[in-house]
Amino acid sequence: MRGNEDRQEMFLYSTDLQKRIAPDHPLRRMKRLVDEELARLSAKFSAAYSTMGRPSIPPEQLIKASLLQALYSIRSERQLCEQINYNILFQWFLGMKPDQEAWDHSTFSQNRRRFQEHGLLQAFFDSSVARAIAEEAVRFEHFSVDGSLIQSFASIKSFRPKEEKDPPQGGDSNRWADFRGEKLSNETHESKTDPEAKLFRKGAGQEAKLSHSIHLLMENSHAMLDGFEVGEASGKAERAAARSMLARLSKRHWIWPKTLGGDAGYDDGKFLDSLERERGIVAHV
């Protein structure tokens, strides 16, 4: 017999979120591991917040939401919050009740400075790497390092002379001005909306864009990410970040790689010599 759609709306529903999630769903094990690591950081979270005032969105939920955004390639925090509202899987992963609405997307922006000042995301990353090392998911011999560019949200029109305070004559705040004949340089210009962004291009013949740099350190055998760093876009950023990540790896986790692979961006005699002389690392560039 053909079934008919029941259009009668109910006021109350009784459901168990645990039963709605497949027993073999990969997020089940990840949720357990993530919750264990965040529980270890509870004291660090408490130290970052005041003991007075209205309760905040739990930092654990914000960190887990950021993890979901990366895992599912959600392009914005606005879209992330929208999906949390109707995605039962996300609500379960975040520990939210079915009738609990997602927070406003601006909550991420409001808490980003606090997270940075207290190193909360870095602490979660370091704790996760330490867990992987303890469970022998990382080998200590062979590592690779690489860097890339993150394009800034700042418009090229915001890249103005450092001493300029007001919009140029004949333009407006959005600077509908002609760049012809004007030399743009990081020495004399800066973005008025993102001062940390630098005008940089990855290679010859490519367009120069306002960018930041991101750098990753990976263990080769298990493709485990063991270090990351975001910084200024420059021709020396890759080598400086590699030194910084290797130093942090040895200081935080007591790991000294035997070899380090990299692309042509690391082909610098002083850098390669310092790796072998100071750290005993053989470079493959």
Side-chain angles (χ1 to χ4, degrees), residues 32-192:
R32 178 177 61 81
L33 295 173
V34 169
D35 286 343
E36 288 176 0
E37 295 308 314
L38 291 175
R40 292 190 179 97
L41 299 174
S42 180
K44 193 172 184 67
F45 293 145
S46 297
Y49 288 82
S50 171
T51 57
M52 302 174 61
R54 188 175 61 180
S56 70
I57 303 296
E60 294 89 344
Q61 286 187 342
L62 294 177
I63 290 177
K64 288 196 287 186
S66 298
L67 185 59
L68 287 173
Q69 184 177 8
L71 290 172
Y72 287 87
S73 301
I74 301 174
R75 63 189 179 192
S76 69
E77 289 157 352
R78 185 188 296 271
Q79 191 178 75
L80 172 63
C81 292
E82 179 183 334
Q83 292 200 27
I84 290 173
N85 260 332
Y86 59 71
N87 193 320
I88 292 178
L89 176 66
F90 286 8
Q91 294 171 3
W92 166 81
F93 186 79
L94 297 174
M96 298 173 62
K97 298 178 181 178
D99 61 343
Q100 183 179 346
E101 293 187 4
W103 50 87
D104 189 80
H105 66 91
S106 62
T107 304
F108 290 98
S109 301
Q110 294 167 2
N111 283 273
R112 189 166 286 117
R113 185 178 297 276
R114 185 201 309 272
F115 279 25
Q116 182 178 1
E117 289 177 354
H118 293 271
L120 301 184
L121 286 173
Q122 182 70 59
F124 173 63
F125 177 81
D126 287 341
S127 178
S128 301
V129 173
R131 174 72 175 266
I133 294 173
E135 296 189 4
E136 299 183 348
V138 176
R139 299 184 67 179
F140 304 154
E141 291 88 1
H142 309 295
F143 285 72
S144 293
V145 65
D146 197 10
S148 187
L149 296 179
I150 303 176
Q151 186 174 347
S152 171
F153 281 136
S155 168
I156 189 64
K157 300 169 189 174
S158 72
F159 197 62
R160 307 177 187 174
K162 293 182 178 180
E163 68 275 5
E164 180 181 289
K165 302 298 181 183
D166 301 318
Q169 295 295 326
D172 59 16
S173 59
N174 203 24
R175 199 186 188 193
W176 298 105
D178 188 359
F179 287 111
R180 184 173 299 175
E182 182 178 355
K183 184 179 179 180
L184 302 181
S185 167
N186 290 316
E187 309 294 329
T188 57
H189 291 61
E190 67 178 1
S191 169
K192 299 302 181 180

